[in-house]
Structure formats: structure tokens, C-alpha cells
Amino acid sequence: MRYRIGAMHIGQILDTAFEVFRDHHKSLLAIAAMVFGPYLILYFGSAFSGVWPVFKAMAAYRTGAWDQYSAYSKVYNVGFYAFILLYMVFSTFVGGALALATAGLYLNDPVSMSISIRFMLKRWWPLFKTFLIMLPLSILSNVSMLIVQMSFDVFGKNVPYSGLVFIATMIVGVTIALVMSFILGKLYLVFNVVMLEELSGWRAIRRSMSLMKGSWGKGIILYLFNFVLVLVFVGVKQFIQSDHLLFTIDIVINIVVDIFFVIASVILYFSTRSKRENFDIEYMAQYATA
């Protein structure tokens, strides 16, 4: 066995997730790029062609040209929120393919990129159905991050009462994130259950909640760690002056962070199964007799 298998504390889960990502990042990134392909073509194509006036809006915002920003804001905002929704849909399918691939790599029974994607496509409706049920929570989770990002955007800019706006939006965003961590902590394994146990919808949600009993804190920590990590990158991005580079880095960072936490969620899935269902003992017995 290449990786530790069994019930783990949060540090071991993160260490193992990093090891899996380090050892297999090329294949995992390839899966993400393949499934995200249509989204990325639309995302970059609409922006760099000027159909979506993202760069004009960013330049106007950066320089405080509010009249120009107002002229672009309607089309910009429509595209912005449409791409957020599309990203949530595509990231669900990417997560499905990555969950199967990661499980195979972790259990020393690797599957190819094509098999991972084909199996995800066979499970597209269970994934999408579960996504629709989880959508209100996903939206709230994204809202908390957007509010915090807005607080960084206005800080130091030529915005009236920027200091007060920064404090108020930061408090609101962090509060929503804390509330969501307690809710989504129990639901952290939902899409792994959809892919690895072929359940879906409310059955997958109930199964996730059952597995997370006694491990709820790990789900909360992983959710908040994801939130803080993205927050750190948001702060770092403030020092990037090129709008085109910032636009590109933003999506790349989001995809890489998502991949890492899909891996972590798979490790957590097998950790909880080992804790509650003796998965590690059964696996060791099968591994020894194989």
C-alpha cells in the first residue's frame, strides 16, 4: 500500500491529500482540464473577444472611472453570475470524475482518465440531480466568498467610506461562511457518495450525514480551510496589476484548489468509512489475499 488507509485526524487527511496530489497531479489536472474544457473555451473566448466586457469593467473599476464602469456593469454582471453558475455545474462533474480517479489512485487500483470521465458521464443525472438539491447551499457558500472578495476590492480604492465598507462586508461574509461550514460540514461527502456508492439525491445526503457522525469537525475544518486558502489568494491577487493575468490566474487557482479539496474529501470519505464501518480492516484483508 502506498498511502495510509484508516481513520485519520485532519492533519493526516491533509498530508495524504497532498501526497496524492503531488504524486498524480498531471493525471488529475488532465481530467479537470478535459471536463472543464467547454467551460474554459466559453469563459476565455467571451472575455478575450470582448463579447463579455470583463476587461473594460475591470479597468474602469481599477481607475475609479465609475461612469464607464456603470456603462459596462449590466452586461458584465450578467456574464459574471452566469459563469459562477456554470462553474458550479462543471465543478460538480469535474469532482465526480476526480472522485473516481482519486479513489483508484488512493486504493492502489488506478483507473484511466477516459474511464473516470466515461463513468462520470454515465452518472451525470444522479450528479446533476444532487447538485440541484444542494444548489441553494452552494449559492450561499459562493455568496459568502463574493462578499469577502468585495471587501478586498473596495479596500484602499476610491470608494466612499471604503474602510467601513471593508469591515462591514468582511463581517457579513465571514459570518455566512461560518454558518455554511456547520451545514456543509455534514454534507462534505455527498458527491463522493454519488460516485462511489451510486446513490443520489436525498439518499446521498442522508448517507453523507450518517458517515460524518463523529467526523463533523473534520468537514467544518476542510470547508473553512478551503475558504481561508481562497481568501489568501484573493489578497495576493490585489498586487497583480495586469487585468488579463489576474483574470487567468483567478480561474487557474480556483481549479487547482478545487482539485486538492476533492482529493481531501475522498480521503475523508475512506477515513469515515474506516472509523464507522471498518473499511480499512476489510481492505487490508482483501489486499493481503490478492
Side-chain angles (χ1 to χ4, degrees), residues 119 122-131 133 189-211 269 273 277:
F119 187 73
K122 288 173 64 176
R123 299 286 296 159
W124 77 270
W125 174 241
L127 281 167
F128 188 65
K129 179 175 70 173
T130 309
F131 163 79
I133 296 173
L189 304 178
V190 167
F191 292 105
N192 293 322
V193 170
V194 173
M195 286 300 295
L196 302 178
E197 299 188 17
E198 300 193 20
L199 301 176
S200 65
W202 292 108
R203 293 176 64 196
I205 289 172
R206 288 193 293 270
R207 172 64 170 163
S208 175
M209 295 176 68
S210 174
L211 286 172
Y269 167 80
R273 285 196 59 189
E277 301 171 351

Side-chain angles (χ1 to χ4, degrees), residues 144-145 147-148 168-180 224 227 231:
S144 67
M145 180 54 66
I147 291 174
V148 173
T169 52
M170 182 64 76
I171 291 173
V172 172
V174 171
T175 300
I176 295 174
L178 288 172
V179 172
M180 294 309 302
L224 290 177
F227 184 86
L231 196 60

Side-chain angles (χ1 to χ4, degrees), residues 20-21 23-38 40 90 93-95 97-98 101-102 105 111-118 120 255-256 259-260 263:
V20 173
F21 182 78
D23 294 343
H24 306 286
H25 63 277
K26 291 182 180 178
S27 58
L28 296 173
L29 284 168
I31 291 172
M34 183 68 68
V35 181
F36 260 126
L40 294 174
F90 273 89
F93 293 121
V94 170
L98 288 174
T102 300
L105 294 169
V111 295
S112 67
M113 178 176 72
S114 60
I115 290 175
S116 298
I117 295 175
R118 284 203 303 269
M120 177 274 295
I255 290 174
V256 172
I259 292 173
F260 177 80
I263 297 170

Side-chain angles (χ1 to χ4, degrees), residues 29-255:
L29 284 168
I31 291 172
M34 183 68 68
V35 181
F36 260 126
Y39 173 87
L40 294 174
I41 292 171
L42 183 61
Y43 185 74
F44 285 107
S46 63
F48 284 95
S49 68
V51 173
W52 179 31
V54 58
F55 297 121
K56 293 178 180 178
M58 290 172 71
Y61 188 89
R62 186 190 292 273
T63 58
W66 304 118
D67 290 340
Q68 293 181 23
Y69 179 78
S70 179
Y72 300 125
S73 62
K74 184 176 181 180
V75 177
Y76 167 76
N77 287 330
V78 169
F80 180 74
Y81 293 113
F83 276 116
I84 288 178
L85 181 60
L86 277 175
Y87 185 89
M88 288 191 289
V89 174
F90 273 89
S91 63
T92 298
F93 293 121
V94 170
L98 288 174
L100 183 66
T102 300
L105 294 169
Y106 177 61
L107 298 177
N108 200 32
D109 186 22
V111 295
S112 67
M113 178 176 72
S114 60
I115 290 175
S116 298
I117 295 175
R118 284 203 303 269
F119 187 73
M120 177 274 295
L121 292 174
K122 288 173 64 176
R123 299 286 296 159
W124 77 270
W125 174 241
L127 281 167
F128 188 65
K129 179 175 70 173
T130 309
F131 163 79
L132 290 177
I133 296 173
M134 296 282 289
L135 183 58
L137 297 176
S138 299
I139 290 174
L140 282 173
S141 179
N142 277 275
V143 164
S144 67
M145 180 54 66
L146 288 174
I147 291 174
V148 173
Q149 283 184 288
M150 184 176 70
S151 70
F152 276 97
D153 287 340
V154 301
F155 187 68
K157 299 292 194 307
N158 187 24
V159 178
Y161 306 105
S162 60
L164 290 176
V165 173
F166 172 79
I167 294 172
T169 52
M170 182 64 76
I171 291 173
V172 172
V174 171
T175 300
I176 295 174
L178 288 172
V179 172
M180 294 309 302
S181 72
F182 281 89
I183 298 172
L184 293 175
K186 286 189 175 183
L187 304 177
Y188 207 82
L189 304 178
V190 167
F191 292 105
N192 293 322
V193 170
V194 173
M195 286 300 295
L196 302 178
E197 299 188 17
E198 300 193 20
L199 301 176
S200 65
W202 292 108
R203 293 176 64 196
I205 289 172
R206 288 193 293 270
R207 172 64 170 163
S208 175
M209 295 176 68
S210 174
L211 286 172
M212 291 302 293
K213 289 179 180 177
S215 302
W216 186 19
K218 298 183 182 72
I220 293 173
I221 292 172
L222 285 175
Y223 177 88
L224 290 177
F225 183 46
N226 190 345
F227 184 86
V228 171
L229 191 59
V230 173
L231 196 60
V232 170
F233 286 125
V234 169
V236 171
K237 287 188 302 183
Q238 304 305 306
F239 299 99
I240 299 175
Q241 297 302 311
S242 169
D243 290 336
H244 291 76
L245 181 60
L246 178 62
F247 182 80
T248 303
I249 288 177
D250 187 54
I251 188 66
V252 171
I253 287 174
N254 279 313
I255 290 174

